[in-house]
Amino acid sequence: MSSQETPRRPTIADVAREAGVATSTASVVFSGKAKVAPATRERVLAAAADLGYAGPDPRAASLRRGRSGIVAVVLEGHLRAAFLDPVTTALMDGLTDGLAELSAGILLMRDEPGEEGAGIADAPVDAVVLIGCSARTRSSLEIVVGRGLPVVVIEGDAGESIPRITLDNAAASADIARHVRDLGHRDVALVTLPLDTERERTAITPERLANATVDVTIHRLAGTREIFPDALAISAAGSLIDEGVLVGRMLLADPATRPTAVLAQSDLLAVGVIRAAEEAGLRVPEDLSVAGFDGIALDGLGDLSLTTSVQPAVEKGRAAGEQIARMLRGEPGITQHLTCRFHAGTTTGPAPR
Amino acid sequence: MSSQETPRRPTIADVAREAGVATSTASVVFSGKAKVAPATRERVLAAAADLGYAGPDPRAASLRRGRSGIVAVVLEGHLRAAFLDPVTTALMDGLTDGLAELSAGILLMRDEPGEEGAGIADAPVDAVVLIGCSARTRSSLEIVVGRGLPVVVIEGDAGESIPRITLDNAAASADIARHVRDLGHRDVALVTLPLDTERERTAITPERLANATVDVTIHRLAGTREIFPDALAISAAGSLIDEGVLVGRMLLADPATRPTAVLAQSDLLAVGVIRAAEEAGLRVPEDLSVAGFDGIALDGLGDLSLTTSVQPAVEKGRAAGEQIARMLRGEPGITQHLTCRFHAGTTTGPAPR
DNA sequence: TTGTAGGCGTTATCAG
DNA sequence: CTGATAACGCCTACAA
């Protein structure tokens, strides 16, 4: 009935009017982009407080500036699974560092194939980081590129001109294998990461390998097979200690066919294998040598130090963040190849004769 | 020189012109908010493909709609530390579920006290979830409320009218303590979560407790002390296995003062204590009973099943998400109290005589 | 230092 | 079913 009909949120224009200044002046007071006389400034702030104005609307500001201050991170699979992997969390950590100069927020997204609406297509982001680019991620990539957003792909092949952050997975795996071979092992079994999004726990056949989509798994396996071409390989359903236990049991069940060394594609899997060995009454490394991959800080291995290849997980994230920052500055993003460092631990030893 | 001066991204207006329709029609084609004749639709899509138009700019759409489709999650401390805690990841998982109907993205934010720019103040979000509301989070809360955004606080007291998701931490802790007391234990020590953002590893004195700011810690401790009023309590520096090991060593070092049971405020801490016990040559539960809290799926406890209280972590996130969805729909958010379920495992047994 | 004006790219509304 | 028009709230040349 009265003039209170529309109690809509005040805008910067209202504040300016209340303070008796131009809207541009009020705007500048909040953005700090120019000098304003202290007196004017005070009046604007007072008016804002008076009206309950909490600062510029970020949505309007994004449109005007053409920047939202948000970077999307696209993860494969369920969010929870992703963060269960210490490598991912380390990576995220580095990413926040690398993005620090932008003071950008991180928007978590899954690469949901079918779903509408939720996707990257409708998110107000300035750039995108794709992690573990697999077949499913490809569609996300297309959308992002179509929208002209800067992209960086971590550990995956995005083709042509997309900057990537890669690891020398094959070479590092070969290093580990060589170490084990030099210790005299000939009878070696492998535990790999999942081959595809099916995440099946199964012996790897040439056909299956041909259909594999996860680059990390493929590359690490290729590196290992440079040294042990015929080693039995079983894919785990994920990078988890419990998966390592399960696969370890399969591998160690039959004393007749039991290998003298097991090379796992992740430290978590390796820990699981060690646990399976303990269950079976085998001593590590006397009866069985075990190596991992990643070099994450392992919680709960007792006095053993895992033989592994230490990957620069945090560095990976940081590098991605830095490339994003560059691209947002208008400079071209560049692909970076990071390398792992071999660590000889106490979980590998001379082959039992 | 030529007309190619400004190769700016095409807008929906360009597409409409190219297709020979009104911008509003083109808009509707993309949003699907109204029926469009198939022929017209095709023409618009063709024009879009032609011009390389990848769909409406989300920034402009957010401004117009007044919605960005993003919900912020404010975590305490370093991102990595937060995701190291399985309870947090489970919670995030539930949150994505609860938010599913909104198909909203999740923006990760830290509650950085001093820093400018990065904060919640400038993020284009529709709502905010505050986790583990501590003193530091208060300032975030003020900003958010000032901006008139819907908020839900998980496990923390936000005062007055802010909807919360809470747990019966005290009651559940008392349940565990009672179980242990009924097993005959009288000599019990406690390992708590951090008391405040200082995260000091130290014996808890009444003064320290009075200055504590983390509600979860305080409530769980209060519940336990209903049963064991005088039990020695040591605060850990975080919810980590390794912290549990450190505090466990402190507790078990001296055989003369060694307790017969240790109650930890998180499962991770409990696992650490068990590990410390193993180090000290103690058998669990024969020589030492250990209980945790959370009921997370523990990776790597061998055959032991931890005595604990299972908190509905996923449910907590889901509930928060649902409240956010409600509030965004215009309905008032309501506070929800969730309850834990006691789980008697094999890590607790009769007190040694 | 302060004010004026125009537009960022959409979408809601309402008339045809 | 389609089209014209008016905001959404802000920022930034440019002019005074």
Side-chain angles (χ1 to χ4, degrees):
Chain A
M1 284 165 190
S2 74
S3 60
Q4 292 292 60
E5 288 286 326
T6 327
R8 71 177 209 294
R9 299 197 66 72
T11 73
I12 201 169
D14 298 328
V15 173
R17 193 174 327 111
E18 177 85 3
V21 301
T23 53
S24 56
T25 308
S27 172
V28 165
V29 168
F30 286 104
S31 73
K33 292 265 181 187
K35 290 191 199 314
V36 179
T40 328
R41 181 194 173 67
E42 284 310 315
R43 247 185 317 141
V44 172
L45 260 21
D50 221 37
L51 266 46
Y53 178 75
D57 178 340
R59 280 180 286 257
S62 323
L63 173 58
R64 181 59 234 246
R65 290 211 243 255
R67 286 279 166 88
S68 66
I70 297 182
V71 174
V73 174
V74 180
L75 298 162
E76 279 187 286
H78 226 323
L79 224 142
R80 186 176 184 175
F83 281 107
L84 235 40
D85 184 355
V87 175
T88 303
T89 58
L91 188 153
M92 293 290 295
D93 220 35
L95 188 61
T96 58
D97 275 9
L99 251 23
E101 67 168 276
L102 295 177
S103 73
I106 292 189
L107 182 66
L108 254 30
M109 313 212 73
R110 302 178 42 192
D111 55 342
E112 344 196 36
E115 289 192 38
E116 294 283 315
I120 274 229
D122 310 302
V125 298
D126 296 337
V128 178
V129 177
L130 289 176
I131 299 181
C133 188
S134 73
R136 249 166 68 190
T137 319
R138 292 299 157 83
S139 60
S140 305
L141 182 61
E142 268 180 48
I143 294 172
V144 171
V145 171
R147 275 179 58 190
L149 293 175
V151 200
V152 171
V153 173
I154 298 182
E155 294 244 43
D157 180 15
E160 343 139 27
S161 55
I162 311 289
R164 293 179 289 155
I165 311 295
T166 65
L167 228 50
D168 59 338
N169 281 308
S173 298
D175 285 345
I176 298 171
R178 233 177 325 260
H179 166 80
V180 169
R181 186 198 55 195
D182 292 350
L183 285 168
H185 294 270
R186 295 295 174 268
D187 208 355
V188 172
L190 318 179
V191 182
T192 79
L193 294 167
L195 290 173
D196 49 39
T197 48
E198 300 293 310
R199 303 181 150 249
E200 214 177 338
R201 189 181 313 119
T202 176
I204 297 181
T205 61
E207 301 84 60
R208 277 197 233 273
L209 188 54
N211 291 321
T213 58
V214 182
D215 285 342
V216 178
T217 307
I218 299 170
H219 294 159
R220 290 188 187 173
L221 181 56
T224 308
R225 287 230 160 123
E226 284 175 25
I227 313 299
F228 297 113
D230 307 314
L232 166 67
I234 296 184
S235 64
S239 185
L240 298 166
I241 293 181
D242 288 337
E243 271 299 315
V245 172
L246 292 175
V247 177
R249 284 180 188 149
M250 292 167 66
L251 251 20
L252 306 176
D254 182 359
T257 63
R258 181 184 296 158
T260 65
V262 174
L263 307 185
Q265 283 191 348
S266 86
D267 287 353
L268 292 178
L269 288 171
V271 172
V273 171
I274 291 174
R275 202 149 287 161
E278 286 169 357
E279 275 181 15
L282 299 172
R283 291 162 305 161
V284 173
E286 292 80 0
D287 304 320
L288 184 76
S289 285
V290 179
F293 199 116
D294 287 339
I296 59 175
L298 273 179
D299 208 19
L301 202 55
D303 295 328
L304 288 173
S305 152
L306 189 64
T307 293
T308 190
S309 185
V310 184
Q311 73 154 291
V314 175
E315 198 45 58
K316 236 164 45 171
R318 194 199 323 277
E322 284 167 358
Q323 290 313 309
I324 292 287
R326 281 187 53 130
M327 295 167 86
L328 251 19
R329 240 183 281 128
E331 302 160 40
I334 53 189
T335 291
Q336 304 214 294
H337 301 284
L338 302 178
T339 56
C340 302
R341 187 173 45 74
F342 176 71
H343 168 80
T346 56
T347 57
T348 46
R353 46 147 293 105
Chain B
M1 286 161 191
S2 75
S3 60
Q4 292 293 60
E5 288 285 327
T6 327
R8 71 177 209 295
R9 299 198 68 70
T11 73
I12 201 169
D14 298 328
V15 174
R17 195 176 323 113
E18 178 84 4
V21 301
T23 53
S24 50
T25 306
S27 172
V28 165
V29 168
F30 287 105
S31 72
K33 291 263 181 189
K35 289 192 198 318
V36 179
T40 327
R41 181 193 173 68
E42 283 311 315
R43 249 189 311 145
V44 172
L45 260 21
D50 221 38
L51 267 47
Y53 178 75
D57 179 338
R59 279 181 285 258
S62 331
L63 172 58
R64 181 60 238 235
R65 287 212 246 254
R67 286 279 166 86
S68 65
I70 297 182
V71 174
V73 174
V74 180
L75 299 162
E76 282 186 285
H78 222 324
L79 225 141
R80 185 177 184 174
F83 280 107
L84 236 42
D85 184 355
V87 174
T88 302
T89 58
L91 188 154
M92 294 291 294
D93 220 35
L95 189 62
T96 58
D97 275 9
L99 251 24
E101 66 169 278
L102 295 177
S103 72
I106 292 188
L107 183 66
L108 255 29
M109 313 213 74
R110 301 180 41 191
D111 54 341
E112 344 195 36
E115 289 193 38
E116 294 283 317
I120 274 230
D122 309 303
V125 298
D126 296 336
V128 177
V129 177
L130 289 176
I131 298 181
C133 186
S134 71
R136 247 166 70 191
T137 319
R138 293 299 157 83
S139 60
S140 305
L141 183 61
E142 269 181 48
I143 295 172
V144 171
V145 171
R147 274 179 58 190
L149 293 174
V151 200
V152 171
V153 173
I154 298 181
E155 296 243 42
D157 180 16
E160 344 140 27
S161 56
I162 311 290
R164 294 179 289 155
I165 311 294
T166 65
L167 228 49
D168 59 338
N169 280 308
S173 298
D175 285 345
I176 298 171
R178 235 178 323 259
H179 166 80
V180 169
R181 187 197 54 194
D182 292 350
L183 285 169
H185 294 270
R186 294 295 174 268
D187 209 355
V188 172
L190 317 179
V191 182
T192 80
L193 294 166
L195 290 173
D196 48 40
T197 48
E198 299 294 310
R199 305 182 149 248
E200 213 177 338
R201 189 181 314 120
T202 175
I204 297 182
T205 61
E207 301 84 61
R208 277 198 233 272
L209 188 54
N211 291 323
T213 57
V214 181
D215 286 342
V216 178
T217 308
I218 299 169
H219 295 156
R220 290 188 186 174
L221 182 56
T224 309
R225 286 228 160 125
E226 283 175 26
I227 313 298
F228 296 114
D230 307 314
L232 166 67
I234 296 184
S235 65
S239 185
L240 298 167
I241 293 182
D242 289 336
E243 272 298 314
V245 172
L246 292 174
V247 177
R249 283 181 189 147
M250 293 167 66
L251 250 21
L252 306 176
D254 182 359
T257 63
R258 181 186 296 159
T260 64
V262 174
L263 307 186
Q265 284 192 347
S266 86
D267 287 353
L268 292 178
L269 289 172
V271 171
V273 171
I274 292 174
R275 203 149 287 159
E278 287 169 357
E279 275 182 17
L282 299 171
R283 289 162 306 159
V284 174
E286 291 81 1
D287 303 320
L288 183 76
S289 284
V290 179
F293 198 116
D294 287 339
I296 58 175
L298 276 177
D299 202 20
L301 199 57
D303 294 327
L304 287 174
S305 153
L306 189 64
T307 293
T308 190
S309 185
V310 184
Q311 73 154 290
V314 174
E315 198 45 58
K316 235 164 47 172
R318 194 198 322 277
E322 283 167 358
Q323 290 312 310
I324 293 285
R326 283 187 52 128
M327 295 168 85
L328 251 19
R329 240 183 283 129
E331 302 160 39
I334 52 189
T335 291
Q336 303 215 295
H337 301 286
L338 302 178
T339 56
C340 302
R341 186 173 47 73
F342 175 71
H343 169 80
T346 57
T347 56
T348 45
R353 49 145 291 107

